[in-house]
Amino acid sequence: MSKATSLRKYGKQSRKPKADRLFIELPQTPVRSPPKKAIKANGHEDGALEDLAGKLSSIQIGDENTAPSIPLRRSPRRKQQPPPATPPRVEAPKLLTPQILSPAKPKVPVDVDTGKEEGELQVLSWSDICPTGDKIVKIAEASYAEVYRVTNDRGTSIIKVIRMESPIKAQTKAQQKSGLVDEEPHSESDLMGELKISEWLADIPGFVVYKERYIVQGKACRELLETHQAFHKKIKRQDPDRLQFYPSPSRYLDGTKFLVVELGDAGTALEDFELQSVDQLWDIFFHVAIALARAEAHIEFEHRDLHEGNLCIRRTGPPIPIEDRERTGRFGFSGLEVTILDYGLSRAHADHQVEGSQPIAYDLERDLSIFTSEHAPQCEVYRRMRSFMLRGDRVCLPPDSHRIAYEEGIDGPITWAQHEPYTNVLWLAYIYDWMVSHFKGLKKELNAFKRLTKELWTYLNPDANDSVPSFGSASDVVRFALEAGWIEEDQLMGAREDIEKSILSILTTNDDSGKELDEGDTAETPRRTPRRRQRGPV
């Protein structure tokens, strides 16, 4: 029998006892884990790690972000290939063939308890949303929603405006000539999944605060039309070839209907934020990584659309000069708070420990144009996700290879209900690369940052050679940072305490002061993720 090869080690060597190590070795090449059953209540786990899991029940970096209490999993599974000259130490078990999405019924189930049916939602007009004296500004366009900031004397909110199936004026000849492409309206069932995920994530630091939702119906007010026009003039100056995907408010009719989700104001989108210091690079990247890791642990969350437009930055304090720092790490000195937005393409499973429960996941197979498009850099990440679902390795298939919905992959037809946290790693790699490419500070500082994070990037890099180990989840990235000494454990303690209410006067009542939750009610108790890979019927 050939001698087994030992796993490569990386990361700064810890001085802590071995039982307290937070980061362990990764295998060579991304190897997707085989299906597993949930960990039993009486299963044996390492005692020291169990203690750590308890300590991380409410985790936060500084005042905001958190990390999960889960064990490091093997990196994503690789398509079976000829055995190497030197066989690995442990042979991977044979993959099970799980049940899959049926191509005849592509929609992911949305029969979740949302707490409200459409008939129970309050119906408002656009004048209610932005009465005289209030300010509304269009700030972004998300996966299938327009995003506005509303400000009044009660505060500031972000509203996501999603057109539902309802009448709207036809395009004018001028609009047709300009190449206007109307975003398709969405059914209620398409929207409930994202709303439920928003509710699940609202208590996890690092994710946008969910406030309220309601129906808005009728013709647009003047303020809405003006900010829509100003937004698209600005976009055209930045990108003359960019098409307009959302209908002008001038086309709204009395029966045109929208679902509006009110969220906390998270600040400025990363794409509009000027990166001037390496402290900002450290904090933005690891705020995002830790928020994702916590969400992976709690609800098996994958964002699947985490580009620079879906991260918001807000200054909450002054940066801390080097001479005033009491820590030796790299994290927590910029004074920035980072918030993750937009769960339109996301996947989550709050009851993943419950046998027979189902995840919420947007079925990306319904429209393959997201994988064939090349209009923006993030389109390659969409293709990388789908290529990984099909092949199980780092190879990114070209646009022409994404033409067949529910294509056969290494474990059956592709299904987006499957939990593959490696997709979070792909987006973290994208954010890292985007920030390095758009850094406006001193070049020597950027070069120093890249040198310090060279090993991190080696295991993030989606184009790395097959012989290079890979992170399998955002949780792996956080463990690497802890092991490297960039983040300190005491920075991971705490929980979100703020409870934000709607700022709309029409929804504000004397009862809106709200109740403070008991400490035991503020968050779920984290657990060691079972990493269950068996797919149930969807």
Side-chain angles (χ1 to χ4, degrees):
M1 176 180 288
S2 301
K3 184 179 179 181
T5 58
S6 59
L7 296 176
R8 290 179 57 179
K9 299 181 180 180
Y10 58 45
K12 181 179 178 182
Q13 294 300 309
S14 174
R15 297 180 181 178
K16 300 176 184 178
K18 186 173 182 180
D20 293 331
R21 293 286 295 274
L22 294 175
F23 183 74
I24 60 175
E25 298 86 355
L26 292 180
Q28 300 287 350
T29 309
V31 180
R32 219 156 110 197
S33 298
K36 295 181 181 180
K37 296 182 179 179
I39 295 176
K40 296 181 180 179
N42 62 352
H44 297 287
E45 296 288 344
D46 183 274
L49 286 177
E50 286 289 0
D51 293 340
L52 179 60
K55 289 165 61 179
L56 295 179
S57 61
S58 55
I59 317 170
Q60 183 183 16
I61 289 187
D63 292 332
E64 192 66 17
N65 285 351
T66 61
S69 54
I70 61 177
L72 186 67
R73 66 184 286 271
R74 289 178 63 84
S75 298
R77 180 180 63 233
R78 190 173 83 180
K79 184 177 180 182
Q80 187 171 357
Q81 299 184 10
T86 306
R89 179 163 50 181
V90 180
E91 183 178 351
K94 184 177 180 181
L95 293 172
L96 301 178
T97 302
Q99 292 180 278
I100 58 167
L101 282 172
S102 169
K105 296 180 180 180
K107 291 187 178 182
V108 174
V110 293
D111 53 339
V112 295
D113 178 16
T114 61
K116 294 184 180 181
E117 298 296 332
E118 180 189 340
E120 299 174 359
L121 297 182
Q122 188 165 1
V123 180
L124 309 178
S125 68
W126 284 108
S127 295
D128 294 329
I129 297 295
C130 189
T132 302
D134 289 8
K135 183 179 180 182
I136 185 168
V137 178
K138 182 170 180 176
I139 58 174
E141 292 180 346
S143 299
Y144 50 77
E146 296 174 274
V147 185
Y148 296 85
R149 177 179 285 113
V150 178
T151 305
N152 57 35
D153 56 6
R154 289 170 296 282
T156 303
S157 282
I158 299 299
I159 59 172
K160 287 187 65 176
V161 177
I162 307 153
R163 183 161 71 98
M164 304 183 74
E165 293 175 336
S166 56
I168 195 169
K169 280 184 185 178
Q171 293 183 14
T172 65
K173 290 183 178 179
Q175 289 168 336
Q176 293 173 354
K177 187 177 180 180
S178 69
L180 174 64
V181 181
D182 284 351
E183 169 73 13
E184 290 296 319
H186 295 270
S187 66
E188 182 183 359
S189 62
D190 282 341
L191 307 174
M192 291 301 104
E194 181 182 2
L195 291 177
K196 192 61 181 177
I197 292 175
S198 296
E199 294 174 0
W200 289 342
L201 291 171
D203 293 331
I204 300 179
F207 292 91
V208 68
V209 174
Y210 172 87
K211 291 186 178 182
E212 188 55 84
R213 67 178 184 266
Y214 30 84
I215 300 297
V216 177
Q217 182 173 330
K219 295 181 179 179
C221 59
R222 176 178 56 84
E223 293 81 4
L224 186 73
L225 178 58
E226 289 176 350
T227 189
H228 178 92
Q229 292 171 337
F231 176 83
H232 284 284
K233 286 179 182 177
K234 172 186 152 185
I235 292 299
K236 279 293 184 183
R237 287 195 299 269
Q238 296 173 348
D239 183 1
D241 296 327
R242 175 167 169 169
L243 297 177
Q244 180 177 326
F245 288 97
Y246 290 90
S248 167
S250 63
R251 296 170 56 198
Y252 298 174
L253 301 171
D254 290 336
T256 307
K257 186 166 59 173
F258 299 85
L259 176 69
V260 174
V261 182
E262 185 179 359
L263 306 166
D265 184 14
T268 303
L270 177 59
E271 61 185 342
D272 298 320
F273 186 86
E274 192 166 277
L275 297 165
Q276 292 283 2
S277 75
V278 292
D279 288 338
Q280 294 172 347
L281 301 184
W282 285 106
D283 282 7
I284 291 171
F285 181 83
F286 283 110
H287 270 295
V288 175
I290 292 173
L292 288 175
R294 177 79 182 275
E296 285 175 356
H298 277 294
I299 59 172
E300 291 190 342
F301 176 74
E302 297 170 53
H303 191 283
R304 296 179 173 175
D305 194 21
L306 195 51
H307 54 76
E308 64 275 13
N310 284 336
L311 286 176
C312 277
I313 315 298
R314 181 170 63 179
R315 182 165 294 284
T316 58
I320 301 175
I322 294 178
E323 59 271 17
D324 295 337
R325 297 177 184 179
E326 299 177 355
R327 298 179 181 275
T328 59
R330 300 285 177 178
F331 181 78
F333 301 117
S334 70
L336 299 181
E337 174 183 277
V338 184
T339 302
I340 298 172
L341 311 174
D342 190 7
Y343 319 126
L345 305 184
S346 297
R347 184 263 186 213
H349 192 181
D351 299 322
H352 49 85
Q353 286 181 305
V354 179
E355 186 91 22
S357 63
Q358 298 296 329
I360 292 174
Y362 184 79
D363 187 1
L364 279 76
E365 296 301 288
R366 294 165 57 180
D367 182 5
L368 296 181
S369 64
I370 191 174
F371 306 109
T372 58
S373 174
E374 298 182 81
H375 82 278
Q378 68 260 27
C379 293
E380 182 174 301
V381 189
Y382 302 137
R383 286 190 286 277
R384 287 189 183 279
M385 290 196 300
R386 193 170 188 271
S387 299
F388 176 73
M389 292 286 194
L390 290 170
R391 295 175 52 91
D393 58 13
R394 287 187 175 114
V395 174
C396 182
L397 300 173
D400 286 345
S401 297
H402 300 278
R403 303 286 185 184
I404 303 173
Y406 306 100
E407 191 172 359
E408 193 79 12
I410 56 176
D411 52 3
I414 189 171
T415 170
W416 293 94
Q418 175 76 0
H419 180 41
E420 294 295 354
Y422 180 64
T423 64
N424 287 333
V425 176
L426 289 173
W427 285 107
L428 284 171
Y430 175 85
I431 291 299
Y432 177 99
D433 186 59
W434 190 94
M435 290 195 301
V436 167
S437 301
H438 290 77
F439 186 70
K440 303 298 183 183
L442 297 176
K443 187 173 182 180
K444 65 178 183 179
E445 292 186 1
L446 177 62
N447 289 337
F449 172 80
K450 291 166 71 174
R451 284 195 300 270
L452 284 169
T453 58
K454 181 178 179 180
E455 191 176 9
L456 172 78
W457 175 247
T458 298
Y459 309 120
L460 276 177
N461 186 1
D463 291 320
N465 187 279
D466 275 354
S467 64
V468 177
S470 170
F471 294 125
S473 64
S475 308
D476 292 354
V477 177
V478 172
R479 289 190 183 89
F480 182 93
L482 286 165
E483 188 72 14
W486 298 337
I487 300 172
E488 297 180 19
E489 288 183 44
D490 66 326
Q491 290 179 296
L492 305 180
M493 313 313 293
R496 171 178 277 161
E497 297 177 355
D498 55 316
I499 300 176
E500 297 189 35
K501 295 293 184 180
S502 172
I503 66 165
L504 300 184
S505 58
I506 197 167
L507 296 179
T508 303
T509 69
N510 292 333
D511 297 328
D512 278 348
S513 57
K515 297 179 181 179
E516 292 296 329
L517 296 176
D518 293 335
E519 183 177 352
D521 297 331
T522 58
E524 300 174 13
T525 302
R527 56 176 187 82
R528 296 186 65 100
T529 297
R531 300 270 189 270
R532 201 169 46 168
R533 314 302 295 166
Q534 181 72 41
R535 286 183 290 195
V538 177

